[in-house]
């Protein structure tokens, strides 16, 4: 199974508005990253996304660029304040009920970086997940499709 970790695009903080929105730069960079990986991402059969606005806006770019028509799920477990353990339980439940070989998890720092370190069992990777960064992980090198500590090998890490 391949796990793709994508951090939302650039969304500057503005205290005068509610939820943060993607900047023009965030939209452009996200589209560029998706286009660079269009061949592998076209194999996605499940996308799980944080329900936060900037993640949903990033998702829209992903689905439009890929012309994705597969299953989309929104999960609070991908919010920045969630935990690795909560996301692990969420993904375990999804894998038990979905047949998937290519799953995209779209979320926020610090969680998305913590997930990268947890799945690869490598420290020092977390802050490499800047905005619009995409990590591609392969779990097949360690046996059956599982989601847990040290279950995956980092195949690539792309940043705008």
């Amino acid at each position: 199974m391949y796990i793709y970790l994508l951090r939302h695009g650039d969304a500057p903080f503005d205290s005068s508005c509610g939820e943060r929105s993607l900047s023009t730069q965030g939209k452009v960079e996200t589209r560029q990253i998706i286009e660079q990986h269009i061949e592998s991402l076209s194999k996605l059969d499940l996308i799980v996304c944080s329900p936060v606005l900037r993640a949903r806006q990033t998702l829209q770019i992903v689905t439009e660029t890929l012309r994705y028509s597969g299953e989309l799920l929104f999960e609070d477990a991908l919010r920045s304040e969630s935990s690795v353990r909560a996301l692990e339980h969420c993904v375990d439940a999804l894998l038990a009920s979905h047949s998937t070989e290519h799953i995209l998890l779209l979320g926020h720092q610090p969680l998305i970086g913590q997930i990268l370190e947890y799945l690869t069992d490598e420290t020092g990777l977390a802050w490499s997940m800047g905005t619009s960064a995409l990590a591609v992980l392969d779990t097949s090198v360690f046996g059956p499709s599982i989601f847990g500590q040290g279950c995956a090998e980092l195949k690539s890490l792309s940043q705008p």
Side-chain angles (χ1 to χ4, degrees), residues 46-49 71 73-75 77-78 87-100 103-105:
L46 178 61
I47 297 177
V48 186
C49 181
E71 189 166 5
L73 299 173
F74 294 93
E75 287 290 340
L78 277 163
L87 184 58
E88 182 177 18
H89 289 299
C90 173
V91 173
D92 283 344
L94 289 172
L95 294 178
S97 63
H98 293 75
S99 176
T100 182
I103 182 173
L104 172 72
L105 304 176

Side-chain angles (χ1 to χ4, degrees), residues 36-54:
Q36 286 173 19
H37 294 273
I38 201 156
E39 186 176 329
S40 60
L41 289 172
S42 66
K43 298 174 186 173
L44 287 173
D45 35 42
L46 178 61
I47 297 177
V48 186
C49 181
S50 162
V52 175
L53 178 62
R54 59 191 179 275

Side-chain angles (χ1 to χ4, degrees), residues 120-133:
T120 61
D121 207 17
E122 292 184 34
T123 58
L125 292 175
W127 293 107
S128 59
M129 291 298 292
T131 53
S132 299

Side-chain angles (χ1 to χ4, degrees), residues 50-126:
S50 162
V52 175
L53 178 62
R54 59 191 179 275
R56 293 190 330 259
Q57 290 173 330
T58 301
L59 174 65
Q60 183 176 359
I61 294 166
V62 171
T63 58
E64 288 172 358
T65 305
L66 295 175
R67 296 187 179 106
Y68 181 79
S69 60
E71 189 166 5
L72 299 172
L73 299 173
F74 294 93
E75 287 290 340
D76 286 333
L78 277 163
R79 289 177 177 268
S80 59
E81 65 272 11
S82 187
S83 68
V84 170
R85 187 68 57 211
L87 184 58
E88 182 177 18
H89 289 299
C90 173
V91 173
D92 283 344
L94 289 172
L95 294 178
S97 63
H98 293 75
S99 176
T100 182
E101 287 300 314
H102 297 266
I103 182 173
L104 172 72
L105 304 176
L106 198 166
H108 316 267
Q109 280 290 36
L111 181 63
I112 205 78
Q114 293 167 350
I115 290 295
L116 176 59
E117 288 189 353
Y118 180 71
L119 295 176
T120 61
D121 207 17
E122 292 184 34
T123 58
L125 292 175

